[in-house]
Amino acid sequence: MSNKLVRETGLLGALVIGLGSILGTGAYVSIGLSADIAGDNLVFAILIAAITALMNGLSSAQLAAAHPVSGGTYEYGYRFLSPLSGRVAGCLFVAAKSASAATAALAVAWYISLTFNISAQVVEYIAVSLLLMFTVLVLSGIRRTNWLNALLVLISLLGLLTFIGIGLTSNAISRTDTADSSSLSLFHAAALTFVAFTGYGRIATMGEEIREPRQNIPRAVIITLAVISTIYIAVGYTILHLGGIKSFEQSKFIIATLISNHNWSRLVVIGGVIAMSGVVLNLVLGVSRVILAMARRGDLPAKLANVSSDSKSAPAATWMTFAIMSAIALLGGIESAWTLSAFTVLLYYGITNIAALNVPLSDRFIPKWVSVFGLLSCFGLIALATLSYVIW
């Protein structure tokens, strides 16, 4: 039986994967955290994160087009750098994206517990149940997952557009508590927001399943980032228009909290829950593909490299993904899990940019300065965010 996956995802499917991987955490967790840290500079933090994401996204697209296999920077590190670089990148990806998935699952579980008056002590177990449900969906095959993912994206967009419409047509509210607006806080917020843009990485990690990867992967990355940047900036501006956020711990679903007295607020809440669910779905899929690639090279047990009889899913790798995400959900809180994801994903994309600099000239379609800028922005955000985190 072949261990190769079938190429059955086109440009539209790749776009849906990218959008579905980004929307939930960006609008409901990352921007909420960033608003608390950056204060009135929230939109600038989003812009910095967007520019950083664009540079890193182009480097990812370059690598995925030159070497279109599942595994993302794990495979690129092996191909263009060294085996050690590949192993480090693989571990960073699994840690970062598993933490993101755990964050999204915990956020949905928190809202479910609040809505149905369930004890907060069982939030972690609700999160694990959600992870289990989406693991089963991923195992049903990529095609069925794409149909569900498209529905999740449409409903998520509807919720966000409703929030923006309600917020911008409401009376502006002056902030009475101004967060630290220093440069360090700005970059700290940008680092946390950057994670919310990195759903484009799921497109690259599934390079083996995307048709015409040299054309479709770069297009999907650029279009996805353009759409998401527009949405995030609009959401950030709306949050500031409504007076900002006092405390992340009091507003895990920041959008729903800010318009809780409006008749349409429930639609926004539903959109948020569905957006988070879409994030979990895509992260289970993306992380499992990296584990699959690591098992193929012998960096993980060989049994994790097995795929289903129809070559449309990787059961062993997917169940391992579920186990890792569940462990993080059971041990960590929303804020700590997201912070872990931010720092590890910036390190991961640092390796991505170094690998992109080594792509042969004959295979290049982006100038090297793009990857240099991406590399410097990753390590710069890590340094400045670390300093701000210590002070903050």
Side-chain angles (χ1 to χ4, degrees):
M1 181 178 64
S2 172
N3 276 345
K4 295 290 185 180
L5 294 164
V6 177
R7 292 191 186 279
E8 60 176 3
T9 302
L11 177 60
L12 181 60
L15 285 172
V16 169
I17 289 169
L19 290 172
S21 300
I22 297 175
L23 281 174
T25 46
Y28 292 90
V29 173
S30 185
I31 294 182
L33 272 170
S34 297
D36 189 25
I37 296 169
D40 292 335
N41 289 327
L42 174 60
V43 173
F44 293 106
I46 295 172
L47 285 171
I48 292 172
I51 294 170
T52 303
L54 176 60
M55 299 298 107
N56 286 281
L58 289 173
S59 289
S60 295
Q62 172 69 85
L63 288 162
H67 190 49
V69 298
S70 292
T73 303
Y74 169 71
E75 285 288 347
Y76 309 148
Y78 259 98
R79 174 68 178 272
F80 299 107
L81 296 173
S82 67
L84 178 61
S85 298
R87 295 188 193 102
V88 171
C91 292
L92 286 171
F93 183 91
V94 171
K97 299 308 176 180
S98 294
S100 292
T103 302
L106 285 166
V108 174
W110 174 86
Y111 181 73
I112 290 174
S113 69
L114 188 65
T115 301
F116 296 100
N117 197 26
I118 300 173
S119 172
Q121 295 179 347
V122 300
V123 165
E124 291 83 1
Y125 300 104
I126 297 174
V128 171
S129 298
L130 290 169
L131 289 169
L132 176 61
M133 179 180 69
F134 284 107
T135 297
V136 172
L137 286 171
V138 168
L139 288 171
S140 68
I142 183 65
R143 184 177 298 278
R144 189 179 306 174
T145 302
N146 273 347
W147 279 106
L148 177 60
N149 201 27
L151 178 62
L152 296 178
V153 168
L154 289 174
I155 297 175
S156 302
L157 283 173
L158 180 60
L160 289 174
L161 292 174
T162 301
F163 166 71
I164 293 168
I166 293 172
L168 294 182
T169 55
S170 301
N171 294 329
I173 301 174
S174 299
R175 288 176 59 88
T176 58
D177 61 315
T178 303
D180 180 10
S181 297
S182 68
S183 297
L184 287 178
S185 294
L186 174 64
F187 290 110
H188 184 184
L192 295 178
T193 304
F194 171 74
V195 189
F197 282 93
T198 57
Y200 60 77
R202 238 70 69 238
I203 301 171
T205 58
M206 295 179 63
E208 189 176 318
E209 297 160 81
I210 296 176
R211 295 194 300 268
E212 300 179 4
R214 290 182 67 88
Q215 291 76 37
N216 286 333
I217 291 176
R219 292 172 184 169
V221 168
I222 292 171
I223 295 172
T224 296
L225 287 176
V227 172
I228 291 300
S229 296
T230 302
I231 293 172
Y232 282 4
I233 291 170
V235 170
Y237 180 78
T238 304
I239 289 175
L240 294 179
H241 181 77
L242 293 172
I245 178 173
K246 293 182 179 179
S247 170
F248 174 73
E249 288 302 323
Q250 297 173 359
S251 305
K252 292 184 176 67
F253 278 74
I254 175 63
I255 286 179
T257 302
L258 289 175
I259 60 169
S260 59
N261 294 326
H262 197 281
N263 293 333
W264 288 95
S265 62
R266 187 169 296 275
L267 175 61
V268 180
V269 171
I270 293 172
V273 171
I274 291 176
M276 291 289 187
S277 299
V279 167
V280 177
L281 175 69
N282 281 284
L283 287 173
V284 170
L285 186 60
V287 173
S288 68
R289 295 313 187 249
V290 173
I291 290 177
L292 172 67
M294 294 181 75
R296 284 174 172 172
R297 285 195 180 272
D299 292 328
L300 289 175
K303 289 184 178 180
L304 294 174
N306 294 334
V307 299
S308 61
S309 58
D310 59 3
S311 297
K312 292 185 178 181
S313 65
T318 305
W319 283 117
M320 175 61 73
T321 299
F322 165 74
I324 296 170
M325 292 178 176
S326 296
I328 295 175
L330 290 171
L331 296 175
I334 291 177
E335 187 173 0
S336 59
W338 190 252
T339 301
L340 170 65
S341 180
F343 283 87
T344 50
V345 83
L346 282 166
L347 287 171
Y348 172 84
Y349 279 105
I351 297 175
T352 301
N353 285 288
I354 296 173
L357 289 170
N358 287 278
V359 173
L361 182 62
S362 59
D363 292 331
R364 299 194 68 84
F365 66 87
I366 64 168
K368 284 193 173 184
W369 68 262
V370 170
S371 298
V372 171
F373 187 97
L375 176 63
L376 294 176
S377 64
C378 283
F379 290 133
L381 284 179
I382 290 172
L384 293 172
T386 300
L387 184 57
S388 175
Y389 184 78
V390 172
I391 296 174
W392 190 64

